[in-house]
Amino acid sequence: MQQQEEKFKAAGGKFKNYKVSDLFNIYSPKKRFNANAVKFGGKYPYVVRTSQNNGIRDYITEDEKYLSPANTFSFGQDTATVFYQDKPYFTGDKIKVMKLKIGNLNKERACYLLSIIRKAFSNFSWGQTSFNENVLNNVEIIMPTKNNQIDFDYMEERIRVLEEERIRVLEEERIRVLEAYLKVTGLDEYILTKEEQEAYDTIHNGGGEI
C-alpha cells in the first residue's frame, strides 16, 4: 500500500481538501414513508436512521416514482450514519440522499469515499439537530487528486489492494488453524488436495496471489 501511495505522489498526485458539496449533490427524497404506515416484506429496501444492516430496516413496495436512485449514499440526519445503497430505495424520516456529481459510484469508489466521509462526520454528535444540507455541504474531506482532478483510479486501486491483503491474511489464518488442528489431532501425516497444496506453497514461499 505504501508503494502505491509513493507511485501516486511520484506521478504528481496530491491529497487535497474538498468540501462535500464539491463532490455530491445532497437532497431530500421525493417522499418519506412512515414506518407505521407501510407494509414490510416488499420489493425495495426501506432505509431509515438505524446504524445497523446498512441502514435498511426492511423491504417495502410503494410507488416507484418515489424511489431514491441506486449508487448513492443515504445519510441519517440525527444519527450521522452514512451508507452506500447499490439498489433503488425508499426512505423514512430525516434521510438525505448524496449523489456523486462526477461519474458514478461503484463498490470500490463507495468504499473509499465512505471511509473518508465517516471520518469527517466522526465529530458530529448523535441527535445533533444541525445536520442540514448547508452544514453537510461545507464539511471538508481529503481526496486524492491528479492533474487538478479527483483521481478515482487511485481510489479504486487502493480498495482492491486492501481487499487482496484482507484475503491473504484470512488465508494465512486458515492455514495456521489447519496446521494446529492436525498437530493436536495427531494427523500430521496428511495429504493436501492440489488446490490446498498450491495455497500452502504460495503462503509459505511468500509470493503470488492466492
Side-chain angles (χ1 to χ4, degrees), residues 30-46:
K30 295 177 182 177
K31 182 178 180 178
R32 62 188 185 191
F33 292 86
N34 190 313
N36 296 323
V38 297
K39 181 179 180 181
F40 295 132
K43 179 179 179 181
Y44 293 102
Y46 175 58

Side-chain angles (χ1 to χ4, degrees), residues 3 17 28 36 51 54 66-67 78-79 83 101-102 107 113 133 135 142 148 159 175 177 185 189 195 204 206 208:
Q3 290 180 345
N17 283 350
S28 298
N36 296 323
S51 61
N54 209 59
Y66 296 121
L67 282 168
D78 61 0
T79 54
F83 295 103
K101 289 182 175 181
I102 307 168
K107 180 182 176 181
L113 286 166
E133 292 177 25
V135 170
I142 300 174
N148 293 318
I159 295 302
I175 294 296
V177 170
T185 57
E189 298 299 326
E195 290 77 13
H204 286 271

Side-chain angles (χ1 to χ4, degrees), residues 18-36:
Y18 292 83
K19 290 183 178 180
V20 168
S21 60
D22 294 329
L23 279 78
F24 292 92
N25 287 315
I26 301 177
Y27 58 90
S28 298
K30 295 177 182 177
K31 182 178 180 178
R32 62 188 185 191
F33 292 86
N34 190 313
N36 296 323

Side-chain angles (χ1 to χ4, degrees), residues 92-106:
D93 192 26
K94 294 185 179 179
I95 296 291
K96 293 292 184 181
V97 177
M98 301 175 63
K99 183 175 177 59
L100 194 64
K101 289 182 175 181
I102 307 168
N104 297 306
L105 281 179
N106 56 29

